[in-house]
């Protein structure tokens, strides 16, 4: 429960900040060009009965803008006078046009008002990345320093990879660390350079590997090799109950030798599959029974113990992470150095996100969509300001990109119609704009339902 609350708090803080600044971007340009803003709200405020939906609201003396917070934390809005938006305020649009309305302004001013939100979000992400590099620097484990090598699945081995290979580079460039960028480069590479038994070797690749399948396959295409050496054991856990201690090395599972923690996890996954397919009590008992062979590091005599698993399939021990096994590279950045580095980092995140977006339109990609639960789970279980700001910057980039998509009801839809007007000299009719807004809202609601339904299905174990 504590972990859930910490993640929820981080998620709400990040989203509130991003929505506030996004709407602030629209607000800034509207005020700059003399356009009246009727309402500026954090979260939405749909009315319930006689209640107008506002948790609090206020209107400064002499101001035309009502500020407030709604009860529905799904975003926020800046209601600009004389504009067809998600409020569907057709009464105002039926009145004679006023010089302080959005519709009365030149198209180029209206365009700047509409892109104000995404501009702020994108610049904010670059600023956060820059300041993170300035304050914390860049810490990573270089791929070439993973001296124990990597573990590969059967698909990778069919291409010529072998367990223990150390990936160095592809024809697209040198690997920095083990990350999603490594998978992207491998999926599009024609060749890969690796270190095998101390010698550099080059393998030929097809150049069109399925990136999503590489990530989602179990086991994955490639993972860092993690020794099956226990670092710590949780008190009163299954591991403690069968005699596992810090420093022990797992040598086998169910009579099968394992050479790494990766192999151990694969065997646990096999038991998970057995449990999901169990049709009788005997099948379930077999799936939840695990024989573990282990010995203390350096000993030659091993012992075998039988573990009775629970549905979580966790024994309750920890091994060292990649950062705990290998030396970490630290790159410090001065104040002025951090800005070009932060811009490069942010643009790389954006380009990777845009490239990956095409997978959303596949069956597997649709299953990968996540809602508020999936986004919240990306935040660390313990409060970590570094990770919080990195996640906030990442969400800011996503918010900017998703909002600029040419979908009616999003900023990008309004931008598309404004560009059409600037090219043809004709404005789309009010009737068309209202219909487009309804269509866009329908698309957004459908996407939100699918994404959050996926979260629920993953939570109950169906996906």
């Amino acid at each position: 429960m504590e972990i859930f609350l910490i993640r929820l708090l981080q998620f709400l803080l990040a989203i509130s900040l991003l929505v506030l600044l996004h709407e602030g971007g629209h607000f800034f340009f509207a005020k700059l060009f003399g356009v009246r803003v009727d309402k500026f709200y954090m979260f939405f405020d749909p009315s319930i009965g006689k209640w107008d939906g506002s948790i609090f609201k206020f209107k400064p003396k002499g101001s035309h803008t009502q500020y407030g917070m709604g009860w529905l934390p799904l975003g926020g809005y800046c209601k600009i006078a004389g504009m067809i938006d998600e409020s569907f305020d057709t009464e105002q649009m039926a009145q004679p046009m006023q010089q302080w309305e959005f519709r009365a302004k030149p198209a180029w001013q209206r365009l700047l008002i509409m892109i104000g939100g995404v501009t702020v979000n994108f610049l904010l992400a670059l600023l956060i990345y820059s300041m993170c590099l300035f304050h914390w620097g860049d810490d990573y484990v270089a791929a070439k320093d993973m001296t124990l090598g990597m573990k590969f699945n059967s698909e990778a081995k069919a291409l010529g990879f072998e367990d223990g290979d150390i990936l160095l580079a592809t024809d697209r460039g040198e690997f920095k660390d083990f990350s999603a960028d490594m998978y992207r480069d491998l999926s599009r590479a024609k060749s890969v350079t690796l270190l095998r038994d101390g010698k550099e070797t080059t393998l030929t690749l097809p150049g069109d590997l399925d990136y999503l399948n590489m990530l989602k396959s179990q086991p994955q295409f490639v993972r860092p090799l993690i020794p099956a050496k226990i670092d710590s054991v949780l008190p009163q856990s299954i591991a403690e109950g069968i005699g596992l201690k810090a420093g022990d090395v797992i040598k086998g599972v169910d009579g099968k030798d394992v050479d790494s923690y990766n192999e151990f996890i694969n065997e646990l996954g096999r038991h998970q599959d057995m449990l999901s397919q169990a049709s009788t009590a005997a099948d379930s008992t077999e799936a939840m029974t695990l024989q573990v062979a282990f010995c203390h590091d350096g000993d030659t005599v091993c012992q075998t113990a039988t573990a009775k698993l629970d549905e979580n399939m966790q024994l309750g021990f920890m091994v060292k992470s990649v950062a705990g096994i290998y030396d970490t590279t630290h790159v410090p950045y001065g104040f002025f150095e951090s800005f070009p580095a932060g811009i490069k980092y942010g643009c790389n995140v954006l380009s990777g996100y845009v490239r990956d977006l095409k997978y959303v339109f596949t069956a597997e990609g649709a299953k990968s969509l996540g809602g508020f639960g999936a986004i919240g789970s990306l935040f660390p279980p313990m409060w970590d300001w570094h990770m919080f700001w990195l996640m906030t910057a990442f969400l800011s980039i996503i918010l900017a990109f998703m909002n600029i998509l040419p979908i009616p009801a999003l900023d990008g839809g309004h931008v598309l119609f404004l560009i059409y007007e600037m090219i043809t000299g004709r404005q789309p009719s009010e009737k068309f704009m209202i219909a487009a807004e309804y269509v866009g809202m329908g698309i957004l609601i459908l996407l939100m339902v699918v994404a959050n339904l996926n979260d629920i299905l993953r939570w109950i174990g169906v996906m």
Side-chain angles (χ1 to χ4, degrees), residues 309-414:
L309 304 173
D310 56 23
E311 293 182 355
N312 294 323
M313 292 289 172
Q314 299 292 322
L315 272 75
F317 68 83
M318 304 289 289
V319 297
K320 286 186 176 181
S321 65
V322 170
I325 297 171
Y326 306 109
D327 292 334
T328 298
T329 299
H330 174 74
V331 181
Y333 288 90
F335 182 75
F336 294 107
E337 290 177 303
S338 67
F339 288 99
I343 292 171
K344 181 180 179 181
Y345 189 101
C347 290
N348 182 58
V349 170
L350 175 62
S351 63
Y353 181 76
V354 172
R355 286 197 300 267
D356 296 346
L357 196 65
K358 63 182 179 183
Y359 295 104
V360 172
F361 303 101
T362 66
E364 283 299 314
K367 293 179 183 178
S368 300
L369 281 174
F372 299 116
I375 296 172
S377 67
L378 295 176
F379 287 92
M382 302 299 290
W383 196 280
D384 182 328
W385 280 112
H386 188 197
M387 288 303 300
F388 169 79
W389 286 117
L390 289 178
M391 274 304 308
T392 301
F394 178 62
L395 292 179
S396 193
I397 281 182
I398 292 178
L399 185 61
F401 179 75
M402 295 302 292
N403 263 284
I404 205 63
L405 291 176
I407 298 175
L410 292 178
D411 296 343
H414 292 281

Side-chain angles (χ1 to χ4, degrees), residues 25 62 118 165 210-211 231 234 239 263 314 321 372 389 424 444 453:
V118 298
D165 287 347
D210 188 330
Y211 168 69
D231 187 54
L234 297 177
E263 291 287 345
Q314 299 292 322
S321 65
F372 299 116
W389 286 117
T424 64
L444 295 180
L453 179 60

Side-chain angles (χ1 to χ4, degrees), residues 76-123:
Y77 69 96
C78 177
K79 187 178 183 303
I80 298 173
M83 173 184 168
I84 297 174
D85 57 13
E86 61 271 16
S87 67
F88 297 104
D89 187 358
T90 54
E91 289 185 16
Q92 186 182 66
M93 300 299 293
Q95 302 301 317
M97 185 187 303
Q98 303 296 326
Q99 54 88 20
W100 39 259
E101 288 186 322
F102 178 82
R103 56 181 169 170
K105 300 301 177 179
W108 69 270
Q109 292 186 5
R110 285 180 279 141
L111 180 63
L112 288 176
I113 292 171
M114 291 316 306
I115 66 173
V118 298
T119 301
V120 167
N121 279 135
F122 185 62
L123 293 178

Side-chain angles (χ1 to χ4, degrees), residues 6 10 12 44 65 164 183 191 210 222 269-270 352 383-384 411-412 436:
I6 290 173
Q10 291 179 88
L12 289 177
F44 295 120
T65 306
Y183 277 86
S191 65
D210 188 330
V222 56
R270 185 174 62 83
W383 196 280
D384 182 328
D411 296 343

Side-chain angles (χ1 to χ4, degrees), residues 17-18 21-22 118-130 389 392-393 396:
L17 175 66
L18 296 180
L21 292 176
H22 177 92
V118 298
T119 301
V120 167
N121 279 135
F122 185 62
L123 293 178
L124 174 66
L126 299 184
L127 177 62
I128 292 175
Y129 282 134
S130 298
W389 286 117
T392 301
S396 193

